[in-house]
Amino acid sequence: MPEGDAVYRTAERLRHALDGRVLTRSDFRVPRHATADLTGRAVTRTESYGKHLLTRVEGGLTVHTHLRMEGSWVVMPEGRRLPQGDKVRLVLANAEWQAVGVRLGMVDLLRTEHEDRVIGHLGPDLLGQDWDQDEAVARLRRNPDTTIGEALLDQRNLAGIGTIYRAETLFLRGVSPWRPVGAVADLDGLVSLARRLLEANKDHASTITTGDRRRGFETWVYGRAGRPCRRCGSRIRRGEMGAQPQERLILWCDRCQPG
Ligand SMILES: [Zn+2]
């Protein structure tokens, strides 16, 4: 599941290939927009917001995509053969490049002035230029009885955290994922750490929270179920939490994250 930093990098790749260029071809392979055609319009800019991507084109239109579980945008030279099968959901091509949306979890086309309808419910974007820490913390505090593990994944509180950053942030702060939001002493510190982790990883493909780039040393708890905790030696626990069926996985250390 791509997290905010991966979506941020995807937006950069799409900007590089599409910004300022006229579309020579568009191919929406989703029933709702199967007849849409953006040929002849220039792409103005792609922005990421949390895990959402907004590709704006001339004429006041926005292509809204979401990678969900296993989606990706692949940029390749125009003319190269597309991936086979029914994986491709959308192609946006210009004279030089084609951006191919593979297994996208969502493809939508809407008026740019209506973008709020698809991202307006989201909390502040952890990697956004208008990041608002106070607002994110205030949104978390609104539901003090929710577990902090669930609250961090709820994109209405803050946008961009997935299962990796949730597990790593909570471990680093010594907070049990099962603790209610109202019982977390330093929400500010927790949120600002999550942001720093995403910032530190936004420009490269691997996720490193330990500061150690060697393979197998990148994370504290994520991907390490049953292995010894790097701090105390206890076995890393693995469980599921939350109502969002796609994002339940949680890893933690009982001793380092009591409660
Ligand atoms: Zn531990």
Side-chain angles (χ1 to χ4, degrees):
M1 155 74 71
E3 310 209 13
D5 58 333
V7 177
Y8 179 93
R9 285 194 298 280
T10 299
E12 278 200 331
R13 278 191 290 118
L14 290 176
R15 281 197 287 272
H16 187 73
L18 300 177
D19 271 21
R21 298 174 198 217
V22 176
L23 292 170
T24 50
R25 190 161 50 93
S26 77
D27 184 359
F28 287 79
R29 299 186 183 176
V30 290
R32 194 165 165 214
H33 300 296
T35 59
D37 185 3
L38 302 178
T39 304
R41 298 172 191 251
V43 172
T44 50
R45 188 166 173 85
T46 294
E47 297 279 4
S48 59
Y49 193 103
K51 301 193 207 170
H52 297 251
L53 288 158
L54 302 167
T55 300
R56 296 169 190 143
V57 297
E58 276 179 341
L61 292 175
T62 294
V63 179
H64 169 224
T65 57
H66 194 295
L67 307 180
R68 294 260 193 251
M69 291 299 279
E70 49 178 6
S72 61
W73 272 104
V74 180
V75 173
M76 57 175 87
E78 166 64 335
R80 190 167 298 173
R81 217 159 70 119
L82 296 181
Q84 294 302 291
D86 58 0
K87 300 179 293 228
V88 175
R89 302 278 185 274
L90 174 59
V91 182
L92 298 174
N94 53 47
E96 215 174 331
W97 300 104
Q98 51 183 347
V100 183
V102 179
R103 292 199 172 98
L104 297 176
M106 182 191 296
V107 174
D108 210 354
L109 181 63
L110 67 156
R111 308 275 326 159
T112 300
E113 67 203 51
H114 294 156
E115 283 178 2
D116 249 19
R117 292 180 187 172
V118 291
I119 60 163
H121 63 293
L122 298 171
D125 176 9
L126 283 143
L127 291 176
Q129 296 194 331
D130 55 352
W131 164 247
D132 184 341
Q133 164 109 2
D134 293 342
E135 173 67 12
V137 170
R139 285 176 178 236
L140 285 168
R141 287 214 173 99
R142 270 179 214 166
N143 295 300
D145 300 330
T146 309
T147 63
I148 186 65
E150 284 176 85
L152 286 179
L153 273 201
D154 188 335
Q155 309 291 302
R156 293 170 298 183
N157 293 329
L158 66 181
I161 294 182
T163 46
I164 301 176
Y165 288 104
R166 163 169 79 175
E168 296 295 297
T169 303
L170 289 169
F171 175 84
L172 283 163
R173 297 293 301 182
V175 173
S176 165
W178 312 97
R179 197 181 292 179
V181 169
V184 175
D186 184 7
L187 272 180
D188 251 310
L190 188 74
V191 169
S192 71
L193 175 64
R195 177 152 192 268
R196 288 205 303 280
L197 291 177
L198 276 153
E199 276 283 345
N201 284 289
K202 74 177 168 31
D203 294 324
H204 53 86
S206 47
T207 300
I208 296 158
T209 58
T210 53
D212 191 336
R213 294 182 167 274
R214 288 176 297 162
R215 203 191 175 109
F217 291 84
E218 300 99 324
T219 57
W220 293 99
V221 289
Y222 194 85
R224 302 197 65 245
R227 313 258 310 272
C229 173
R230 297 193 198 280
R231 277 195 177 149
C232 75
S234 300
R235 297 225 166 277
I236 300 297
R237 303 271 311 270
R238 174 200 163 106
E240 297 200 341
M241 73 187 316
Q244 297 177 35
Q246 299 160 331
E247 303 198 283
R248 287 189 197 161
L249 185 65
I250 182 69
L251 296 108
W252 77 103
C253 171
D254 263 338
R255 201 185 292 177
C256 295
Q257 298 165 265

